Amino acid sequence: LFDQFKDLPAVVLGAGPSLSEFIDAYHEHSLQDKCLIIACDASLKRLLDSGIKPHLVTRTERKFTPIFKGVEKKDTKDIFYVAYPWCDPAFFDLFQRSFMMFRQNGVCKFADPYSPGFVDGGVSSANAALEIAFNLGCQQIFLSGIDLCFLDGKSHAEGTQVEFDPENSRAKWTKIKANNGEEVTTIPVWGRCLQEYKGALMKHAKGGHSVFNTSSRGAVIRGTKYILWVEASDRILSFKPINTKTPLERIQSKLDRHTQSYAKTYQENKKALAKYLGEFCDDLEKLILSVQDQMLIGKREEERTLEQLRAISDPDELYRHMTLASQQLCQAYNKP
């Protein structure tokens, strides 16, 4: 799918309060099939309740939470779940169709010799959604629901699911500038997301992408241009795609299966990896037992040294023995 959507705009959706502005624009301007919709996991239930099916739904978190509460498998028809290998399998099972995305690190490298495209970005699911929009080649990208601040005291749009309690970091809340020039309140986790957006925009700066932020009261994201949904809708509707297929049809047309030769290689790699990890666990167990043994010896040496010091009654002699005792204690614990 990489670089296959250069003639189609993308809408990247967070779960912030301004998500409702996109929902209104979607229905008012009939944006269905006019853009590729990439939504973060927390926004899905609200979108479905509003009669909107995003094409892709992203997930980056390892933990299993009620993020998709109220969503059933029958609801996920024509929606593709996009998540990293470490995301809970139960979420993959919830969706009828899914993609696994990879980063250039850790467990993702186990896919060799298969070389998937890499989605190197994702402090949050919405961060990953923007990275995907870049990777798919969308030249105009519109952000909505990515407020990164409280709006009227709310952290998320009504009807969305939240995985954390903003109140836990109240002591670290700070003020930042909003697109309308006002000051708004943000929290540390949104600050990290903001830095991720800035980093992604800098990384893809030479790709010819234009990124528009539609959150008037949301945080300023350097590298994006703030516009209202009236203008955003006009821009989306003015696109004349070369490919006449709908976004869903485009995705479905690219669902190539791997070859039998790859399946064989994968199974061979899997067996080799299992063997390697088994040997690793054995070596690790030996190492831990060895360290425990050395700690036991060190503790005995420590007790012996302290007993020797306790037996000294003369202050001058005690002082002379302190340096030697310190060296002995260091030597006792150097090996473990």
Side-chain angles (χ1 to χ4, degrees):
L1 294 178
F2 279 27
D3 293 324
Q4 298 299 310
F5 291 83
K6 291 184 177 180
D7 62 333
L8 199 68
V11 176
V12 172
L13 300 176
S18 69
L19 175 64
S20 59
E21 296 174 6
F22 162 75
I23 293 172
D24 293 340
Y26 177 91
H27 293 298
E28 182 179 351
H29 300 282
S30 301
L31 299 182
Q32 183 177 5
D33 295 333
K34 302 296 192 302
C35 52
L36 179 69
I37 301 175
I38 311 173
C40 77
D41 44 14
S43 67
L44 180 58
K45 185 62 168 62
R46 172 65 187 275
L47 293 171
L48 290 173
D49 290 344
S50 302
I52 300 173
K53 280 195 169 185
H55 301 104
L56 305 173
V57 173
T58 57
R59 174 74 178 167
T60 61
E61 289 283 352
R62 294 166 170 78
K63 56 192 175 185
F64 187 81
T65 70
I67 195 71
F68 293 122
K69 184 178 180 180
V71 178
E72 299 179 18
K73 192 159 187 171
K74 62 182 177 62
D75 301 324
T76 67
K77 186 177 184 296
D78 298 334
I79 298 175
F80 285 83
Y81 179 59
V82 188
Y84 289 118
W86 49 76
C87 295
D88 198 289
F91 289 142
F92 280 95
D93 294 339
L94 175 64
F95 289 79
Q96 297 185 27
R97 307 295 291 272
S98 63
F99 288 109
M100 187 173 285
M101 60 181 169
F102 296 86
R103 296 188 68 156
Q104 297 188 69
N105 62 7
V107 67
C108 298
K109 289 294 188 179
F110 294 172
D112 289 340
Y114 177 58
S115 298
F118 292 105
V119 182
D120 287 321
V123 169
S124 73
S125 298
N127 286 134
L130 176 59
E131 186 70 15
I132 290 171
F134 282 133
N135 290 339
L136 299 191
C138 300
Q139 294 301 290
Q140 291 201 21
I141 302 170
F142 301 86
L143 309 181
S144 182
I146 300 177
D147 304 306
L148 305 174
C149 64
F150 292 100
L151 297 186
D152 299 325
K154 296 179 180 179
S155 63
H156 290 73
E158 187 175 346
T160 60
Q161 295 293 331
V162 185
E163 288 186 301
F164 64 94
D165 184 0
E167 288 291 333
N168 290 339
S169 61
R170 177 176 279 274
K172 297 181 180 179
W173 290 5
T174 55
K175 295 287 186 180
I176 57 174
K177 188 178 179 181
N179 287 304
N180 62 3
E182 296 179 358
E183 274 197 341
V184 288
T185 301
T186 190
I187 64 178
V189 66
W190 293 335
R192 292 196 297 273
C193 293
L194 178 58
Q195 294 307 313
E196 177 88 4
Y197 287 123
K198 291 178 181 178
L201 287 158
M202 290 180 64
K203 181 171 65 175
H204 296 282
K206 296 182 180 179
H209 311 276
S210 297
V211 183
F212 302 93
N213 190 350
T214 63
S215 177
S216 59
R217 295 190 294 158
V220 172
I221 303 176
R222 193 178 305 139
T224 67
K225 179 183 178 182
Y226 162 60
I227 61 174
L228 296 172
W229 262 110
V230 173
E231 182 183 346
S233 299
D234 288 342
R235 284 178 174 271
I236 291 172
L237 294 173
S238 67
F239 263 78
K240 304 297 180 186
I242 299 172
N243 189 331
T244 57
K245 293 180 179 179
T246 66
L248 179 61
E249 290 171 339
R250 292 192 193 202
I251 296 171
Q252 291 174 330
S253 69
K254 295 290 181 180
L255 299 181
D256 294 334
R257 295 287 182 177
H258 58 68
T259 63
Q260 285 301 313
S261 61
Y262 169 69
K264 181 181 178 182
T265 303
Y266 173 80
Q267 291 299 333
E268 290 173 351
N269 286 352
K270 186 177 177 181
K271 288 179 181 178
L273 176 63
K275 182 174 181 292
Y276 170 79
L277 290 176
E279 294 170 351
F280 173 82
C281 288
D282 289 341
D283 290 342
L284 182 60
E285 185 178 12
K286 291 176 185 177
L287 175 62
I288 291 171
L289 291 173
S290 176
V291 171
Q292 288 176 341
D293 185 54
Q294 291 299 324
M295 287 293 286
L296 182 61
I297 294 173
K299 183 173 177 59
R300 289 172 179 168
E301 183 65 23
E302 178 183 349
E303 291 171 348
R304 186 182 68 82
T305 302
L306 292 174
E307 285 300 322
Q308 289 176 343
L309 291 176
R310 288 193 189 100
I312 300 172
S313 57
D314 180 65
D316 292 336
E317 186 180 356
L318 175 63
Y319 181 80
R320 287 196 300 271
H321 277 77
M322 281 299 295
T323 301
L324 178 60
S326 296
Q327 292 174 352
Q328 289 174 334
L329 289 174
C330 288
Q331 289 173 0
Y333 288 105
N334 271 342
K335 195 167 184 179

